[in-house]
Amino acid sequence: MEMTSSRIHVSLLSVRKKRSERLVERNVRKKWMMLILATMLLLTACSENGSSGKNDGGQTDNGNAASTLEKAKEQGYITIGFAGENPYAYKDENGELTGEAVEIARTILKRLGIEEMRAELTEFSGLIAGLQAKRFDIIAAGMFINPERCEAVLFANPEYSIGEGLAVKAGNPLNLTSYKAIAENKDAKVAVMSGAVEIGYLEASGVTEAQMVIVPDQDAAISALQSGRADAMTMTGPALQSRLDQAGDEGLERVMDFEQPTVDGNSVRGYGASAFRLDDVSLQEAFNTELDAMKENGELLQILQQFGFTEQELPGDVTAPQLCSPQA
Ligand SMILES: CC1=N[C@H](C(=O)O)[C@@H](O)CN1
């Protein structure tokens, strides 16, 4: 009897042991399943956050917690990058930030619920890098839209359109009336701002690197002309006129019969716009909606006119996607 009871006890023990082993196995399996599931979820989240955010049409802001637009609304301000170039974006004699790009952006941002605009002065050639590095959230400098820049930033639609200008010493001693004329006189030197589209236009016209005096900003361009380091300076027509007016130097003059440059047989008329980071699609779309309304109701022209632009300089129906396309 005793024998039987001890056998029963042993067999009960072994049944319990097996049951507890099965329980442990089941728990281990469950933990593995949960681990695999968590890894899969983590990988999916990482791949979504890691997407480039590049605007390839219809894509929204990437999976970051809050978009730049939402953050700006929440904090009540947004920072713009500008290059101190009259009449696009500059500080006036009272130290107030203004210019066509600034006032258009200010009006639109207010309508988007962003009351305050802060500003970061940056050399023109550093604007795109500054935007990408998040030193500011918008470039408001009247920057021209072109396919190369569209690879790096997301442009709003253009707010104005303009041609180029050339200034020389009074009397135009070297008879420089076009970029081609500069190219043909290898002794002639032209001052041009670093990072500006004019460098490409000059190259396309045959002007060599040695003929270009590359300067960091437009003040340095006029200084180069005044000091004789350059025989000419080039920049957009309105920027050129504003520099000449400000300098009031009788020793300089604007070339009135300047022949606008062409690249590949096409006129290089520039279209200026605000620009955002590539993944700030919601900000760009909201900005464009307000800009369209301002084109329609005449407000855009009113702002442009305050800075010397006329109806001729309105951008018409030209859009950023058209100007970003290499065939444009
Ligand atoms: C308003 C402006 N446009 C040209 C550009 O976008 O490169 C340059 O002339 C710099 N300033």
Side-chain angles (χ1 to χ4, degrees):
M1 192 62 187
E2 266 201 352
M3 276 288 284
T4 321
S5 150
S6 101
R7 251 189 232 138
I8 290 172
H9 184 67
V10 169
S11 97
L12 263 176
L13 274 177
S14 90
V15 166
R16 271 190 208 144
K17 194 177 164 212
K18 274 187 189 149
R19 204 184 291 154
S20 94
E21 278 171 0
R22 270 204 304 273
L23 260 174
V24 169
E25 265 172 35
R26 211 181 295 156
N27 276 344
V28 169
R29 228 179 296 138
K30 219 193 259 174
K31 276 185 185 151
W32 270 109
M33 293 283 284
M34 282 172 72
L35 194 70
I36 291 168
L37 202 67
T39 312
M40 281 167 65
L41 283 173
L42 195 72
L43 284 174
T44 316
C46 283
S47 74
E48 276 170 9
N49 277 339
S51 71
S52 72
K54 188 176 161 127
N55 178 29
D56 50 10
Q59 198 174 318
T60 53
D61 301 30
N62 72 17
N64 293 331
S67 73
T68 301
L69 177 58
E70 285 163 1
K71 259 189 267 169
K73 279 187 193 176
E74 216 170 277
Q75 67 195 11
Y77 71 86
I78 199 161
T79 308
I80 62 149
F82 75 110
E85 188 182 17
N86 187 333
Y88 307 105
Y90 61 99
K91 290 215 169 154
D92 66 15
E93 53 283 2
N94 304 317
E96 299 293 335
L97 182 69
T98 192
E100 65 76 30
V102 168
E103 299 308 336
I104 290 167
R106 203 194 303 277
T107 305
I108 291 178
L109 292 170
K110 275 202 178 138
R111 283 175 194 166
L112 297 181
I114 305 160
E115 284 300 316
E116 192 191 341
M117 194 166 69
R118 299 185 180 175
E120 188 85 25
L121 178 64
T122 301
E123 279 183 10
F124 190 86
S125 60
L127 285 171
I128 290 180
L131 178 75
Q132 289 171 331
K134 301 196 174 177
R135 281 180 43 222
F136 38 84
D137 296 316
I138 305 179
I139 297 174
M143 182 179 274
F144 288 178
I145 304 171
N146 68 25
E148 196 190 331
R149 289 174 177 166
C150 294
E151 292 287 313
V153 298
L154 186 62
F155 279 103
N157 283 325
E159 51 204 32
Y160 75 92
S161 156
I162 205 73
E164 297 302 324
L166 190 73
V168 291
K169 291 269 189 206
N172 199 357
L174 298 183
N175 196 25
L176 304 174
T177 53
S178 65
Y179 289 176
K180 279 212 173 81
I182 299 173
E184 279 157 17
N185 181 346
K186 292 299 174 218
D187 292 331
K189 284 198 159 52
V190 56
V192 60
M193 185 166 71
S194 174
V197 292
E198 289 80 13
I199 294 179
Y201 301 163
L202 287 163
E203 277 167 358
S205 306
V207 178
T208 63
E209 218 177 293
Q211 289 181 276
M212 291 184 219
V213 180
I214 310 278
V215 291
D217 53 40
Q218 308 295 35
D219 282 335
I222 199 159
S223 300
L225 180 58
Q226 284 171 317
S227 68
R229 280 197 301 127
D231 305 291
M233 70 167 183
T234 187
M235 56 191 78
T236 63
L240 186 107
Q241 193 56 52
S242 117
R243 292 291 140 184
L244 290 175
D245 292 347
Q246 198 187 354
D249 183 341
E250 287 185 356
L252 306 181
E253 69 179 37
R254 183 171 181 172
V255 177
M256 297 314 286
D257 53 349
F258 174 62
E259 197 184 301
Q260 288 295 321
T262 54
V263 174
D264 300 330
N266 298 316
S267 154
V268 295
R269 195 170 176 82
Y271 287 80
S274 286
F276 315 91
R277 280 184 291 279
L278 287 172
D279 57 5
D280 276 334
V281 181
S282 55
L283 179 56
Q284 179 238 26
E285 284 177 348
F287 196 97
N288 271 346
T289 303
E290 296 300 333
L291 183 64
D292 280 351
M294 289 170 71
K295 277 184 197 166
E296 285 293 313
N297 66 20
E299 270 179 290
L300 178 66
L301 180 59
Q302 274 173 19
I303 293 180
L304 288 174
Q305 282 171 333
Q306 290 168 30
F307 298 95
F309 294 80
T310 70
E311 223 168 318
Q312 308 299 314
E313 281 90 41
L314 280 172
D317 293 332
V318 178
T319 66
Q322 286 167 352
L323 297 161
C324 286
S325 144
Q327 299 89 273

